[in-house]
């Protein structure tokens, strides 16, 4: 069975909507920590980490051991939402991991279908039920999942209409949506939010909730300024608007704190968790203040809400991150890597900006030949980002692309990455940038359609 034949069967049999499989034509057969081995014996350093899921890397002994233990115990693996010792332990570990000011709020947890997007749906439904309001506030560049269509085509008219969204500017210093740069852009964006809510003819009224990512991941690795996030908290709190923080990608130490809201000290009303919280297996939940718990039994059901192996793996991961202080390690190593990435910005004209928080890092690729705009940004170069991804793969490095235009090369390495691995990542990335910048005009990747597959497919 050759790799080429597996890949060609995949291309022939799987959906046109497939994503990573287009840009990463490898066939992984073994993985440990940060290393993935392909069927051809080639080894790769994995900075994709299951789209940020693998906080401890692949097959971490702490995770594998608890999975084996659950299997050996003959515990039922499928229990819907019944109570089990495994779930009880996971819930305790999750609650213990939360920022104390949030944990103090008499929290409840709703386990959801095992994808981040389902927990986002649940959080929206929860806020709508609790407030009796419908409209939502969300941000430019936001990514919260893929299931909006599921509600739109359902017969339940009451719950339909996720289109009732007011879009607000998310601070993006490099390409400030207000054309102001920072910190002015964030300040004016907050002011706009406030005046919109207070204007009786603003067209928004008081909405059911605000949804925000503390660092936009798919949007291009854009950390929200702490002061701006605090402003969003003040504005929502003063008006009785639940603040839902989406920590699907930023949670479990990724940004240098256990939860990204801890950087700003913001206490949300609800937090959506998934990805790393399942310790590499599918799990998603929404944790929220008990006074929002006004929905009826079955208001958000789903067959797969009790993934026992994921809960065991997730509890082990949360414990390991806490005990080994991997959040602090992410802050330290990520901070040093960001410095090195900034050096790349100075050496490679095709890199417009390096940014990130903790071990959530990105390089925005821009057209080296174009003139900068008034704020110093050159036009996005998604084709170069894809070329960097391809050149990195040739050098044994798996990276992600994302961002509005698909022009951001993203790094989401495991929090357990060693110093040597970090060094190898930076060297391979440096070489990949040189090769991509020197290369001929880049053809579209295998099977890419008319859409930007990176934005349409990133992180999903
Ligand atoms: N929210 C955020 C912030 C995400 O990054 C993602 C996935 N990239 C989701 C929600 C959706 O998660 P899932 O793909 O598991 O549905």
């Amino acid at each position: 069975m050759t790799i080429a034949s597996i890949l060609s069967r995949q291309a022939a049999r799987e959906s046109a909507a497939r994503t990573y499989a287009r840009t990463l034509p490898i066939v992984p057969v073994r993985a440990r920590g940060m290393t993935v081995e392909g069927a051809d014996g080639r080894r790769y350093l994995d900075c994709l980490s299951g789209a940020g899921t693998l906080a401890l890397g692949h097959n971490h002994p702490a995770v594998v051991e608890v999975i084996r233990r659950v299997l050996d115990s003959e515990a039922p693996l499928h229990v819907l939402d019944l109570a089990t010792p495994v779930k009880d332990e996971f819930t305790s570990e999750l609650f213990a991991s939360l920022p104390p000011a949030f944990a103090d709020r008499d929290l409840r947890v709703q386990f959801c279908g095992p994808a981040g997007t389902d927990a986002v749906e649940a959080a929206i439904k929860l806020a709508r039920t609790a407030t009796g309001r419908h409209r939502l506030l969300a941000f430019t560049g936001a990514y919260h999942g893929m299931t909006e269509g599921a509600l739109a085509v359902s017969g339940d008219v009451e719950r339909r209409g996720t289109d009732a969204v007011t879009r607000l500017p998310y601070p993006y210093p490099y390409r400030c949506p207000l054309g102001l740069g920072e910190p002015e852009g964030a300040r004016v964006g907050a002011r706009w939010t406030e005046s919109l809510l207070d204007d009786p003819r603003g067209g928004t009224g008081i909405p059911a909730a605000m949804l925000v990512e503390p660092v936009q991941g798919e949007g291009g690795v854009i950390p929200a300024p702490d002061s701006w996030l605090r402003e969003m908290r003040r504005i929502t709190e003063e008006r009785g608007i639940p603040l839902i923080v989406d920590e699907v990608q930023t949670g479990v130490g990724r940004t240098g704190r256990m939860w990204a809201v801890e950087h700003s000290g913001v206490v949300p009303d609800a937090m959506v968790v998934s990805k790393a919280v399942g310790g590499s297996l599918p799990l998603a939940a929404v944790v929220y203040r008990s006074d929002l718990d006004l929905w009826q039994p079955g208001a958000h059901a789903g067959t797969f809400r009790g993934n026992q192996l994921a809960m065991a793996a997730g509890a082990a991961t949360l414990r390991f991150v806490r005990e080994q202080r991997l959040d602090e390690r992410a802050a330290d190593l990520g901070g040093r890597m960001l410095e090195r990435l900034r050096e790349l910005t100075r050496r490679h004209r095709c890199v417009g900006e390096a940014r990130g928080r903790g071990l959530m890092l990105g390089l925005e690729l821009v057209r080296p030949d174009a003139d900068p705009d008034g704020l110093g940004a050159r036009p996005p170069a998604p084709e170069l980002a894809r070329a960097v991804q391809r050149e990195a793969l040739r050098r044994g490095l798996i990276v992600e692309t994302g961002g509005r235009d698909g022009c951001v090369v993203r790094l989401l390495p495991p929090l357990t990455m060693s110093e040597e691995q970090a060094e190898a990542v930076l060297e391979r990335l440096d070489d990949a940038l040189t090769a991509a910048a020197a290369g001929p005009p880049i053809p579209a990747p295998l099977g890419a359609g008319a859409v930007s597959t990176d934005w349409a497919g990133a992180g999903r």
Side-chain angles (χ1 to χ4, degrees):
M1 190 174 289
T2 66
I3 294 175
S5 66
I6 292 178
L7 290 175
S8 72
R9 272 198 298 282
Q10 178 185 43
R13 297 194 292 211
E14 290 188 24
S15 157
R18 69 194 186 283
T19 56
Y20 302 104
R22 293 176 188 277
T23 47
L24 299 169
I26 60 172
V27 180
V29 290
R30 213 167 288 116
R32 182 78 186 245
M34 201 182 169
T35 306
V36 170
E37 193 179 311
D40 55 359
R42 286 205 66 197
R43 297 173 130 229
Y44 301 87
L45 284 175
D46 184 6
C47 276
L48 174 55
S49 300
T53 300
L54 304 164
L56 307 185
H58 294 271
N59 293 318
H60 191 278
V63 169
V64 171
E65 193 205 306
V66 291
I67 292 175
R68 288 220 172 93
R69 209 184 312 144
V70 173
L71 288 176
D72 290 344
S73 75
E74 295 186 15
L77 297 181
H78 192 296
V79 292
L80 301 165
D81 67 349
L82 302 184
T84 67
V86 171
K87 185 202 252 188
D88 189 53
E89 192 192 332
F90 173 80
T91 308
S92 300
E93 197 60 60
L94 176 65
F95 278 26
S97 79
L98 295 170
F102 184 44
D104 283 350
R105 291 193 153 186
D106 188 27
L107 300 178
R108 298 288 181 272
V109 59
Q110 163 75 20
F111 289 100
C112 300
T117 191
D118 193 56
V120 169
E121 298 264 6
I124 292 171
K125 215 181 281 175
L126 174 82
R128 283 184 168 155
T129 306
T131 61
R133 303 189 292 254
H134 195 71
R135 181 162 287 275
L136 302 166
L137 299 177
F139 291 93
T140 50
Y143 183 78
H144 297 289
M146 281 283 179
T147 54
E148 192 170 344
L151 278 181
V153 295
S154 298
D156 185 342
V157 178
E158 290 236 304
R159 292 183 195 153
R160 197 187 282 172
T162 39
D163 54 325
V165 174
T166 297
R167 196 75 49 183
L168 297 164
Y170 191 88
Y172 182 6
Y174 189 65
R175 298 190 192 282
C176 177
L178 300 168
L180 295 168
E182 294 307 329
E184 207 43 16
R187 195 189 64 74
V188 173
R191 174 81 191 99
W192 168 245
T193 303
E194 199 160 17
S195 67
L196 196 66
L197 292 171
D198 291 345
D199 183 346
R201 294 282 181 272
T204 294
I206 297 300
M210 172 186 280
L211 276 96
V212 68
E213 295 158 89
V215 181
Q216 284 191 345
E218 309 309 325
V221 194
I222 307 174
D226 293 339
S227 55
W228 176 85
L229 209 53
R230 283 192 288 271
E231 273 295 90
M232 292 303 113
R233 175 67 285 190
R234 179 187 65 74
I235 291 167
T236 48
E237 192 152 41
E238 285 176 3
R239 291 160 183 81
I241 303 167
L243 178 68
I244 301 170
V245 173
D246 183 341
E247 290 260 16
V248 167
Q249 191 163 145
T250 49
V252 195
R254 168 67 52 198
T255 70
R257 301 296 296 262
M258 193 64 165
W259 302 98
V261 280
E262 292 174 58
H263 291 289
S264 60
V266 158
V267 181
D269 299 297
M271 192 189 271
V272 184
V273 300
S274 190
K275 291 200 194 268
V277 93
S280 76
L281 297 176
L283 186 65
V286 51
V287 189
Y288 54 93
R289 279 177 18 205
S290 62
D291 57 326
L292 294 174
D293 201 26
L294 300 173
W295 47 4
Q296 295 299 309
H300 195 80
T303 307
F304 290 109
R305 285 175 291 155
N307 189 337
Q308 298 295 288
L309 291 181
M311 287 178 184
T317 300
L318 288 166
R319 198 161 38 242
F320 196 87
V321 170
R322 176 166 52 79
E323 286 174 359
Q324 302 298 316
R325 304 204 165 154
L326 291 185
D327 51 344
E328 290 172 24
R329 170 148 185 77
D332 172 44
L333 185 55
R336 284 184 285 126
M337 283 185 80
L338 183 55
E339 280 310 309
R340 297 281 300 279
L341 293 176
R342 289 197 172 121
E343 279 171 32
L344 295 185
T345 309
R346 288 188 278 278
R347 279 197 289 110
H348 295 275
R349 212 179 131 68
C350 62
V351 182
E353 187 179 54
R355 54 179 180 255
R357 200 152 205 187
L359 284 172
M360 192 167 173
L361 297 161
L363 291 177
E364 181 152 341
L365 276 285
V366 295
R367 299 197 66 92
D369 51 341
D371 291 330
D373 65 15
L375 289 173
R378 277 173 280 129
E383 66 293 344
L384 262 177
R386 279 197 294 273
V388 172
Q389 185 183 41
R390 197 160 43 232
E391 292 295 343
L393 193 70
R394 289 181 56 197
R395 289 160 176 77
L397 174 66
I398 299 174
V399 296
E400 156 87 303
T401 57
R404 267 89 157 159
D405 301 284
C407 67
V408 178
V409 172
R410 307 181 55 206
L411 304 177
L412 293 161
L415 316 185
T416 49
M417 176 173 57
S418 70
E419 299 285 330
E420 296 71 31
Q421 286 170 327
E423 197 55 47
V425 167
L426 290 163
E427 275 170 22
R428 291 176 199 185
L429 195 57
D430 194 355
D431 287 351
L433 283 163
T434 305
I442 310 299
L446 190 70
V451 291
S452 154
T453 50
D454 296 297
W455 175 240
R460 289 137 226 185

